[in-house]
Amino acid sequence: GETISTKASGCTFRYNLFTDTRGELVLRNANRCVVEYNRFERCMGGIRISGSGHKVTNNLVVDSTISGIRMVAGLPDTRPGRKGYRYLPVVDCTIANNTIVNPGREGMLFGEWLKGTKSLTGAVRKSGGTILPTQNRIERNIVTANQGMLLRLRESQGNVISRNLLHATGEAQVGEAGEGALLAAPPFVDPAKGDYRVPKGSTASGLGADAAPFEAGNGLDK
């Protein structure tokens, strides 16, 4: 489930294309990483976050099996002779200007593997994390889906959630819209051709991922 997994802090993951993988880009036990301008198409998920101080911006996740971006519940290490955490709490992260299209479960999920919640098999978790994400900034993202929930907080508190564009169709639910949300269809340039940018001057200008790094002729395809 981990296409890329890092336990090293201060890493940068930029300009990568993930297609049809059975995993995610995972900040497994790290702090202060930068994840930007990555594109995920038809993968299990997009980005899974543990740790603090991360900057996750300008990423595009399309047709994921589960969540586009998910933040794991912090899990203290209670094993004999151990200290610290098995999964670091998600604190003081910036998750901004990302675009998530048609996730299979949630657009963004706070508190994955939280003790007492149901697993993917439907069983109630008797173990798991106990510390919900807090003091994070979730801003100017675009999430559109026809199933699941766009933003699922699981009672996470103390986060700033503002100015996101949220578009729920079919059986989808918005969840926690936050402050200043724009509830409308995103005016993508040409989604049929995979161009999920928002035109300048539109009502959604400045929101979502700038997909310019994936345009033909920019040198990244050489």
Side-chain angles (χ1 to χ4, degrees):
E2 300 183 354
T3 306
I4 291 179
S5 180
T6 182
K7 294 183 180 180
S9 296
C11 297
T12 297
F13 301 89
R14 180 186 292 135
Y15 299 155
N16 299 288
L17 173 63
F18 301 80
T19 60
D20 303 287
T21 76
R22 299 173 107 181
E24 300 162 289
L25 193 164
V26 179
L27 306 179
R28 172 65 176 79
N29 246 13
N31 299 307
R32 303 179 308 280
C33 291
V34 174
V35 181
E36 63 181 6
Y37 291 112
N38 301 285
R39 183 174 181 129
F40 303 80
E41 298 176 351
R42 302 176 304 279
C43 298
M44 183 186 82
I47 302 160
R48 193 180 90 205
I49 301 170
S50 293
S52 63
H54 301 302
K55 295 187 183 302
V56 178
T57 63
N58 278 290
N59 300 283
L60 172 65
V61 185
V62 181
D63 295 330
S64 60
T65 304
I66 54 172
S67 307
I69 296 175
R70 55 182 180 155
M71 291 156 270
V72 177
L75 175 61
D77 196 337
T78 59
R79 293 174 293 183
R82 301 292 185 95
K83 296 181 180 180
Y85 297 91
R86 297 184 70 175
Y87 285 95
L88 294 169
V90 182
V91 180
D92 193 29
C93 296
T94 298
I95 302 172
N97 287 102
N98 302 284
T99 296
I100 301 172
V101 179
N102 294 329
R105 202 178 68 184
E106 299 96 1
M108 293 188 188
L109 171 63
F110 292 64
E112 180 66 294
W113 303 331
L114 181 67
K115 184 177 180 180
T117 58
K118 288 186 178 181
S119 68
L120 292 176
T121 63
V124 175
R125 296 186 183 279
K126 297 182 179 180
S127 61
T130 57
I131 305 172
L132 286 165
T134 188
Q135 299 176 32
N136 303 288
R137 302 188 70 88
I138 316 297
E139 300 176 310
R140 301 183 303 280
N141 302 284
I142 294 176
V143 184
T144 178
N146 57 18
Q147 60 185 328
M149 188 172 290
L150 306 190
L151 291 179
R152 186 187 294 272
L153 295 191
R154 285 188 170 163
E155 300 182 2
S156 296
Q157 297 180 357
N159 301 287
V160 175
I161 302 174
S162 67
R163 293 180 292 165
N164 299 292
L165 188 157
L166 306 171
H167 186 229
T169 62
E171 299 179 355
Q173 302 176 48
V174 170
E176 300 291 339
E179 298 180 358
L182 178 60
L183 304 180
F188 294 135
V189 172
D190 193 346
K193 294 184 178 180
D195 191 341
Y196 293 96
R197 290 175 298 170
V198 171
K200 292 182 180 180
S202 73
T203 55
S205 181
L207 305 180
D210 177 4
F214 303 102
E215 291 181 89
N218 63 5
L220 295 177
D221 54 343
K222 297 179 182 178

